[in-house]
Amino acid sequence: MISAMLRKVREVLVFLFISVFSKVTGIKTLARATVPADSAAAIFCLSWRLAVETNNASAWRTVPAQCFRYVENYMIGGQYDQDVNLIVEQILSYVNEIVLSNDGMDAWILDVDDTCISNVFYYKGKRYGCDPFDSVSFKSWAKKGECPAIPGVLNLFIKLVESGFKVFLVTGRNEETLGQVTIENLHNQRFIGYERLIMRNAANKGQSAVVYKSQVRKQLMEEGYRLWGNVGDQWSDLQGEYLGNRTFKIPNPMYFVS
């Protein structure tokens, strides 16, 4: 009983210290709302995210409203980073088994948005996908060139380049409007040494992501490249034809690209 009282006193003192510190310094303490792990919303949202990552929830437009806090916690609370790092570990185990040829034609494909660089700061303003996608505002965000690298994938990229693979970055971004800023954004985030950045142009305008990326992979194979792996955050990055030897999906519960 005494220990319980002492614990309660400590909690009150800590609360009072934080309150006084905030008033004196003018700094507001920020608390991120959490969803209790055993709540009905958390249980539903965990199942929903599993359906998304296994491609059983197809063509969804927005994150369910009750999953706003859950997805926020997942993306910025540490679990997303852990998941990405585990996937990268699996990829590297596979990479280490590959015996490269001497002709310089061993290749990998990496998607760009939310595979190499993150748009989580943009999607924070869209309630992590609870609000519908807005192409105009996203283009304005992308033009800033402020997308941070996803650390685990950056490490993978560096390993692939240093190992002698030719790495192709393939994105659905438009080359005319976002070409230069994307190159600079990637460079500033240390994506240096890739073989080619491939972007949409007038020839593939209006094509679905599956058709567009299938054609890109076909072209690379016709050029003689051996595609050992393909990494993306969308199932449309990993579907279609000419997929390569293996595919790996980076988690993304914020949006769906068909």
Side-chain angles (χ1 to χ4, degrees), residues 65-79:
Q66 65 265 44
C67 296
F68 165 46
R69 291 300 182 190
Y70 174 86
V71 174
E72 177 185 45
N73 293 335
Y74 174 74
M75 292 302 301
I76 66 176
Q79 187 62 55

Side-chain angles (χ1 to χ4, degrees), residues 44-45 48-49 52 60-72 75 123 126-133 252-256:
F44 166 77
C45 295
W48 176 81
R49 185 169 65 82
V52 165
W60 51 278
R61 292 188 65 250
T62 58
V63 171
Q66 65 265 44
C67 296
F68 165 46
R69 291 300 182 190
Y70 174 86
V71 174
E72 177 185 45
M75 292 302 301
Y123 276 96
K126 295 295 181 180
R127 298 191 304 144
Y128 296 95
C130 290
D131 295 339
F133 179 72
N252 185 351
M254 298 186 296
Y255 61 89
F256 178 89

Side-chain angles (χ1 to χ4, degrees), residues 13 23 62 83 98 105 123 152 165 173 242-243:
L13 289 174
K23 289 180 179 179
T62 58
D83 289 352
I98 300 173
M105 302 302 284
Y123 276 96
F165 291 98
R173 291 188 178 197
Y242 310 97
L243 293 174

Side-chain angles (χ1 to χ4, degrees), residues 64 78 111 136 195:
D111 172 57
V136 175
E195 185 68 11

